[in-house]
Amino acid sequence: TIGDSVNTTGNVSSTNGGTGNTASATLTVSAVLPPSIAKAFSPTAIVSGDTATLTLTISNPNQQTTLTGLTVTDTFPSGMTIAAPVTVTNSCGGAVNDDLGGTLEAGDAGIQLTGGTLAPNSTCSITVLITTTQSGTNTTGNVSSTNGGTGNTASASISVGSGVVDLEVSKSADPTSVAPGGAIRFSIVLRNNGADAADGATFSDNVPAQVTILNVTCGDATNGAVCGTPSVSGQDVSMTIPTFPSGGTVTVRIDGMVMGDSNFTNTARIAPPTGMVDSYEANNESSAPVTAATTGTAADLVVTKSVSPTTFTPNGALTYTIVVRNDGPNDVNGATVTDIFSAALINPQWSCAPTGSASCAAGLNNGNLVDTVSIPAGASLTYTVTGVVAPGANAPINNTAYVALPSGFTDPTPANNSASAISNPASPAAAPTQIGSIAVVDPVIVKLVDPALALPGEQVVYTLTVTNPSSAPAYAVVVSDTVPSVLEIISATATQGTFTISGQVVVFNVGTVNPGQTVTLTVTARLRDDAPAPSAVTNTGELRHQTGNPRVSSATLRVTRGRLPATGLPPAEPRTFGDSIALLGLGLLSIVAGALLWLRARRR
């Protein structure tokens, strides 16, 4: 009987010694435990029709009893069969047949072990090469033995696709500790470790609500990989990688501003293209933990923003004015100003004018505003953004600018680190129609400077003439002029449209230029007293419009020390030592040539 049995003797005694004690002993009879089974495929992902090894591992948990009569049947799911040639190993003894008990052959839909034997506290295994055309999970029947009874079943899954990849995600956060109002960047490296290309693999990242997403980019593609275009919807970032060969990598960067004061973790994921399978899914996601910083150097950065006009028309100009200031108490070096413009704004351009010792990007810049700046306490930056409203725009254009602190700073009022401006559509107007052949619109820009020769301290006038020789209007014409730093801008004029002056940049929002129309723009500037002389200063104007490529035109101003009274031209420059040597050489050559001619004449 299974269990503990206690046997106690009677008292021991002797004739001359009398009665002694009793004695007891316990005999424990244990049940023979059943076998257990585990199952695995290797590899776990294959191309349809390829092979994988199925391994059944049987264990004997009994410490002293050998299990006999081991039996298990494994009937495969649809699409899975024994591969040819039949390849089987068996360390469990007994016989391995098909799942119906017949001889094992290629194409059979299962296997069966009968009559196996397994020593105490040991394992044995059966391997068989299979092929399959479908993904699925395979479960065995119960494993059993004659003396141990019935044990468990075992399951394993295999994935089947048109190709096998091994996609990997590696994610990091910089910095890893951020105060409210601070900037953060998540860098996500996506890698294809598999043998096959993974064109069309998809990346996704649900960014925690504590982070305001400012900008998302993809770059640093290697080994033939090609970045896709990141998409942002609320807190969800996604991207399809169009070209992703074996060994290729791309890096996605998510720039944001932390607004919450609690710890969080951000997780990124990658999935194989439709129809393909991943051989190792454990590395398909990666997380980056971020802690909330509670201390740092205090600085209150503030953003204000306005738009003109507040009511737009398609093909019309739109101008944003963004002011970023530091209300202190400490200077900030390395803050990030970001403004990602609406797709309804065509050809956005921006420039920055700092006050005091603040610094920002110089000149005229194209595209979204992303600028790393320094703002001492009490200083400010003024950004001027110009663009053209897309022809089909009919919904409000709402745009937000942000400033984020660098690591090590804390903002006492992070709520004022962003500002928005909205422009609403005006009543729709009928668009002009081109009848017949398609018109090619190609406006022309010509730039001149008067006078073309000037002394330091004198004024010059640049004239930019925009003409439309086409048979259709040129819409959304914008002319920009980045004036060289040796000139101080005094004023500007335009016979049509509006203009803004920001630092050394003048931007003219001309608007529509009709066929045959000419628009004249001027910039008056003064040569600075320390302008180098003699020198040549080239100034280039750029014209952009709704369709077609940008056009440029340049004018060169010659800076001189003075003018000759008779000609008005600059005086000749002093001869250099090199010039003197060259003239001496020419003189000697002339003397030698003359002597040779004289000798030839005498010989005749």
Side-chain angles (χ1 to χ4, degrees), residues 186-284:
F186 296 104
S187 297
I188 306 108
V189 179
L190 309 174
R191 180 178 291 104
N192 180 7
N193 295 323
D196 295 330
D199 299 350
T202 54
F203 157 79
S204 62
D205 190 338
N206 179 247
V207 179
Q210 294 98 317
V211 178
T212 298
I213 300 172
L214 302 181
N215 192 28
V216 182
T217 60
C218 178
D220 297 338
T222 67
N223 296 328
V226 176
C227 277
T229 301
S231 173
V232 180
S233 177
Q235 293 299 110
D236 292 321
V237 179
S238 60
M239 183 184 73
T240 298
I241 307 171
T243 305
F244 206 12
S246 173
T249 66
V250 298
T251 300
V252 177
R253 294 179 177 87
I254 302 174
D255 292 309
M257 181 168 63
V258 175
M259 299 303 294
D261 56 0
S262 59
N263 301 340
F264 61 89
T265 298
N266 187 11
T267 301
R269 298 171 177 84
I270 192 169
T274 301
M276 301 190 77
V277 290
D278 197 304
S279 61
Y280 184 61
E281 296 181 345
N283 61 0
N284 286 177

Side-chain angles (χ1 to χ4, degrees), residues 312-351:
F312 70 80
T313 56
N315 302 311
L318 207 61
T319 300
Y320 293 106
T321 301
I322 304 163
V323 178
V324 181
R325 71 175 191 268
N326 182 358
D327 286 350
N330 293 292
D331 299 346
V332 176
N333 182 26
T336 304
V337 179
T338 306
D339 195 336
I340 306 302
F341 304 118
S342 165
L345 194 67
I346 299 175
N347 293 330
Q349 295 181 305
W350 56 271
S351 59

